[in-house]
Each structure stands twice: as structure tokens, then as C-alpha cells.
Amino acid sequence: MNDTLIPLILGMAAVTYIPRLLPFLLLNRLRIPHKVNAFLKAIPVAAIGALIVPGVLTATPDMPAAALAGMGFTLIYGMFRGGIIVPVLGAVGISWLILALAG
């Protein structure tokens, strides 16, 4: 490994870690209003939806129903059972099955 990479990696780690640490140190005792807290909790869901849904809809352009069926399985299974492995594998399996049956 090049000797110049170690300071670069440590610098990037510090630049990444400090912005995450400062809010915990400075705002530790601040009470967040309920509406703001609810808004902040919705951000990850919105971000995941914005990142994943367009990709799902364009993954199988010839057969969008396969992608929608896989997404539907993941949504329904995830709502009732949770987890990651079974929804992902189930969505892949259902999408593959629909694509295989369609030809």
C-alpha cells in the first residue's frame, strides 16, 4: 500500500465521522418536537423508495408486471413478517417465474 494512502484514508474517516459525531455531542439534551421527529423518521423510507422504485420499474422493461409482482411480494411479506433475506429471494423468485412463464 502506498504511504500516501494512509493519511488520505484517515482524513476521509475523520471528515466522515466528525459530522456524525457533532450532532450527538451538541444536541444531546435538545428535545425534538413530535412533528419534527415524525418527519425525520419518514426520511429513510422516502429515500429508499426514491432510490429503489425507479430501478424496479425499469429492471424488466419488456415485462413490468414481473417487477411489480416481485415488489408486491416484498411489500406484503415485509409488512407482516419483516426480514431481508426472504423478501429479496421471494421477489427474485417471483419475478423470475413470471419472466420464465411469459417466455
Side-chain angles (χ1 to χ4, degrees):
M1 180 180 288
N2 193 348
D3 290 340
T4 59
L5 288 179
I6 299 292
L8 180 65
I9 291 171
L10 293 175
M12 288 190 299
V15 169
T16 302
Y17 186 69
I18 289 172
R20 295 177 183 190
L21 178 65
L22 284 179
F24 285 114
L25 296 177
L26 299 176
L27 305 174
N28 191 17
R29 297 178 189 226
L30 180 68
R31 292 188 56 92
I32 298 174
H34 179 68
K35 289 183 179 180
V36 174
N37 195 23
F39 174 77
L40 291 175
K41 285 182 178 179
I43 290 175
V45 175
I48 288 294
L51 291 172
I52 291 177
V53 170
V56 167
L57 296 177
T58 59
T60 54
D62 296 337
M63 181 66 78
L68 289 174
M71 191 167 69
F73 173 80
T74 301
L75 181 67
I76 292 170
Y77 188 90
M79 284 176 48
F80 292 107
R81 299 292 302 242
I84 294 175
I85 301 296
V86 173
V88 169
L89 293 177
V92 170
I94 286 178
S95 297
W96 175 80
L97 182 65
I98 291 175
L99 289 172
L101 291 175

